[in-house]
Amino acid sequence: MTSRGIANAVVLIAALYTMLPALWLLLASTKNADALFGSDIFSLGDFSFGRNLSDLFSMDGGLYGEWYVNSLLYAVVGALVGSLISVAAGYAFDKYEFRHKEKFFGLVLTGVMVPPTVLALPLYLVASEIGMVNTFWAVFIPVLFNPFGVYLARLLSSGYVPNEVLEASRVDGAGELQTYVRVSLRMLGPGFVTVFLFQLTAIWNNFFLPMVMLSDQHLYPLSLGLYTWNSAATVSPEYYPLVVIGSLLAVVPLILAFVLLQRYWKSGLTAGSVK
């Protein structure tokens, strides 16, 4: 077998390994509880997708719909605002000189290396002191600040925004804020989308912080809500089909985001690679 054939075989095996769990999730979402506990996942019988979908949005007074809306607010709005903050900070680190600049950036890099779960307890203590525990803001505000997004935005700024363009804008009489909004931010469009998608994925899959901060089920995101249903399924097996189909629907926004924005994030990932 040629080296190209070996490479293709490895890629095929990796693709199958990646797609099989997704295929199982898709097929399992069409089955009832009896089929899930049996060996009938890959059969064409016991098609219950419509019933599972109806039960999903009616169970516990429609909690799943509330969880879905909460996740969209936490992830989409949070990623949008957080990306604006990250790109502005990364741009400032790249284009401006200020005292102790590299030391501050070193702190940002330190933040990249700290696992988010380590920060959950300190964030809870701070939120508790200001009376913000078990509120929407207890989860929303911490996800706005992403050290990795700042680091990535600095790299993207160096690759997308030439200093000559900024100098030309200043010569034309534009202020720094005007230059950033009208010139730099537009040039950073693909980079902004790249940061947005990374942050969207991280917030959408966020689990530990909501678990620590929230006790009101009406504020849960999908990750925490499905976890509670999965835990309840040990004594109430009717939750199992709902957890499966709920997990399937939970990945749809991420897939749509990557498909619709792929041409931007692909170019964003290659920023600065070609001079």
Side-chain angles (χ1 to χ4, degrees):
M1 183 180 292
T2 64
S3 58
R4 184 174 181 178
I6 294 174
N8 289 337
V10 171
V11 171
L12 179 61
I13 293 172
L16 291 174
Y17 178 80
T18 303
M19 294 303 299
L20 278 177
L23 178 61
W24 183 92
L25 185 65
L26 180 61
L27 294 176
S29 65
T30 66
K31 306 299 179 182
N32 54 32
D34 293 335
L36 284 176
F37 287 112
S39 302
D40 302 324
I41 296 296
F42 293 96
S43 69
L44 298 178
D46 300 316
F47 188 84
S48 303
F49 183 83
R51 180 177 178 181
N52 291 342
L53 194 63
S54 175
D55 292 343
L56 176 68
F57 286 97
S58 61
M59 179 64 73
D60 294 340
L63 269 179
Y64 183 83
E66 295 184 32
W67 296 340
Y68 215 102
V69 172
N70 292 340
S71 285
L72 290 174
L73 289 175
Y74 291 135
V76 178
V77 180
L80 182 62
V81 177
S83 297
L84 289 172
I85 294 172
S86 295
V87 169
Y91 173 82
F93 274 117
D94 177 47
K95 300 303 179 185
Y96 298 117
E97 295 296 332
F98 50 90
R99 193 176 182 183
H100 303 307
K101 167 183 168 179
E102 295 304 327
K103 291 181 180 178
F104 285 126
F105 192 68
L107 292 176
V108 173
L109 295 180
T110 302
V112 173
M113 294 182 286
V114 176
T117 52
V118 175
L119 301 176
L121 182 57
L123 287 173
Y124 173 81
L125 295 176
V126 172
S128 179
E129 286 293 325
I130 61 178
M132 204 168 62
V133 172
N134 199 33
T135 66
F136 170 85
W137 305 107
V139 176
F140 182 77
I141 292 178
V143 301
L144 298 181
F145 305 98
N146 180 14
F148 178 73
V150 176
Y151 164 74
L152 183 59
R154 182 178 184 178
L155 297 181
L156 294 169
S157 176
S158 65
Y160 270 109
V161 186
N163 293 328
E164 295 79 7
V165 175
L166 302 184
E167 290 298 328
S169 177
R170 291 166 185 149
V171 169
D172 289 339
E176 294 300 324
L177 182 59
Q178 187 179 17
T179 298
Y180 173 70
V181 173
R182 294 189 176 182
V183 179
S184 302
L185 193 57
R186 293 184 180 183
M187 299 178 72
L188 283 169
F192 174 83
V193 172
T194 303
V195 175
F196 172 81
L197 287 175
F198 274 111
Q199 200 149 349
L200 176 71
T201 304
I203 300 173
W204 189 268
N205 295 325
N206 192 12
F207 170 77
F208 194 69
L209 181 65
M211 185 177 68
V212 170
M213 291 291 190
L214 303 177
S215 58
D216 184 357
Q217 286 193 343
H218 297 281
L219 296 174
Y220 283 2
L222 283 172
S223 56
L224 184 56
L226 291 174
Y227 170 78
T228 60
W229 275 4
N230 189 58
S231 301
T234 56
V235 293
S236 302
E238 65 270 15
Y239 280 105
Y240 276 121
L242 306 187
V243 171
V244 172
I245 192 172
S247 300
L248 176 66
L249 295 184
V251 302
V252 171
L254 294 182
I255 294 174
L256 288 176
F258 275 87
V259 169
L260 295 176
L261 301 174
Q262 60 178 325
R263 69 188 183 96
Y264 296 103
W265 68 263
K266 283 182 179 179
S267 59
L269 289 175
T270 58
S273 61
V274 180
K275 292 292 186 181

